[in-house]
């Protein structure tokens, strides 16, 4: 039978997209100066969290010097700092920090993933690259059998969730949007936790906490 462990192994071994393979490995070889002592992960990044999660968080893709460096999604960059701090405040994570794979972070009731598993140039995967990664997300959603609420971080995450869960009609993406999906599941939307949103105040900690608070209400 399929499992999240087998899925993770298949994701890590993937070399389906030449452009993404070249980029992730180039970044791993030509490190940012502040991380010159690191051995970069430089491979696709699997999802992370509670396999019995009622809430699934879906972002976009690993960050070049974040998850592509650390090997864990939303780990080692400002986006991850913002996300995991909120999960900690809401009782879904045992700590607010996410710095490396062995930092002791554990999630309870929530699982975090992305529709694209390799860091893309300029954070912009092509439609063909998204399609190549799609089977991984399909398997992941099937394996997360307790999931009731899917939180989309940004429009790309929303599109991926809506496609897989059958959101019809599909409302236009908006922060705070709540949409019904197939199988009695619910989609909630938030602006992405990227610095361009969090540094400008477009997305505040209170706004993200409210989304996860609503997710907890529905999941329970």
């Amino acid at each position: 039978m399929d499992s999240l462990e087998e899925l993770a192994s298949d994701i890590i071994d993937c070399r389906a997209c030449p452009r993404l393979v070249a980029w992730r490995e180039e970044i791993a070889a030509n490190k940012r100066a502040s991380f010159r002592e690191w051995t970069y992960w430089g491979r696709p990044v699997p999802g992370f969290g509670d396999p019995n999660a009622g809430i699934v968080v879906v972002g976009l893709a690993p960050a070049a010097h974040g998850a592509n460096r650390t090997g864990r999604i939303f780990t080692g960059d400002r986006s991850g700092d913002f996300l995991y701090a909120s999960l900690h405040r809401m009782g879904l994570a045992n700590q607010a920090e996410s710095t490396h794979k062995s930092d002791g972070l554990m999630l309870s009731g929530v699982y975090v993933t992305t529709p694209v598993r390799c860091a893309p140039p300029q954070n912009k995967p092509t439609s063909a690259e998204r399609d190549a990664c799609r089977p991984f997300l399909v398997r992941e959603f099937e394996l997360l059998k307790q999931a009731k609420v899917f939180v989309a971080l940004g429009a790309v995450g929303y599109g991926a969730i809506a496609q897989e869960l059958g959101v019809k009609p599909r409302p236009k993406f908006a922060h705070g949007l709540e949409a019904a999906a197939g199988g009695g599941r619910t989609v909630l939307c938030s602006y992405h936790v990227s610095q361009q949103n969090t540094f400008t105040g477009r997305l505040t900690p209170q706004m993200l906490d409210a989304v996860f608070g609503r997710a907890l209400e529905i999941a329970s």
Side-chain angles (χ1 to χ4, degrees):
M1 294 180 64
D2 200 4
S3 68
L4 288 171
E5 290 77 15
E6 290 181 12
L7 173 59
S9 178
D10 289 345
I11 290 170
I12 292 168
D13 289 341
C14 183
R15 299 183 65 85
C17 301
R19 187 181 80 114
L20 297 188
V21 171
W23 177 250
R24 78 191 192 207
E25 293 180 357
E26 178 183 339
I27 293 296
N30 301 307
K31 308 171 186 179
R32 181 174 286 174
S34 56
F35 301 128
R36 60 183 177 274
E37 302 301 324
W38 276 78
T39 299
Y40 273 52
W41 173 256
R43 288 175 282 175
V45 181
F48 166 69
D50 184 349
N52 297 311
I55 301 169
V56 177
V57 180
V58 181
L60 169 58
H65 299 281
N68 189 58
R69 171 173 59 90
T70 64
R72 189 172 69 197
I73 201 64
F74 282 111
T75 296
D77 58 29
R78 296 291 180 86
S79 296
D81 293 344
F82 198 91
L83 172 63
Y84 289 119
S86 179
L87 294 179
H88 180 249
R89 288 192 296 271
M90 303 309 294
L92 294 165
N94 68 323
Q95 62 189 43
E97 298 79 23
S98 180
T99 57
H100 56 86
K101 290 182 70 174
S102 301
D103 61 10
L105 176 65
M106 293 186 292
L107 303 184
S108 177
V110 65
Y111 186 95
V112 182
T113 189
T114 54
V116 177
R117 309 299 172 136
C118 294
Q122 300 179 330
N123 290 322
K124 294 180 179 179
T126 66
S127 58
E129 289 162 353
R130 291 197 299 268
D131 290 344
C133 255
R134 183 183 175 192
F136 293 141
L137 194 67
V138 171
R139 286 171 63 187
E140 206 161 36
F141 282 8
E142 290 175 348
L143 290 165
L144 294 167
K145 299 183 183 301
Q146 305 304 314
K148 297 180 180 179
V149 186
F150 292 75
V151 177
L153 300 179
V156 173
Y158 174 51
I161 295 169
Q163 181 178 27
E164 304 311 331
L165 300 189
V167 178
K168 296 180 180 178
R170 187 187 301 184
K172 184 178 179 180
F173 173 83
H175 181 84
L177 173 71
E178 185 172 327
R185 294 168 289 190
T186 301
V187 181
L188 297 179
C189 291
S190 169
Y191 292 135
H192 196 277
V193 290
S194 64
Q195 292 183 54
Q196 67 184 28
N197 289 330
T198 60
F199 279 19
T200 61
R202 188 182 191 211
L203 178 65
T204 66
Q206 293 77 14
M207 290 168 66
L208 188 58
D209 289 357
V211 170
F212 285 124
R214 177 59 179 152
L216 282 165
E217 288 179 8
I218 299 170
S220 63

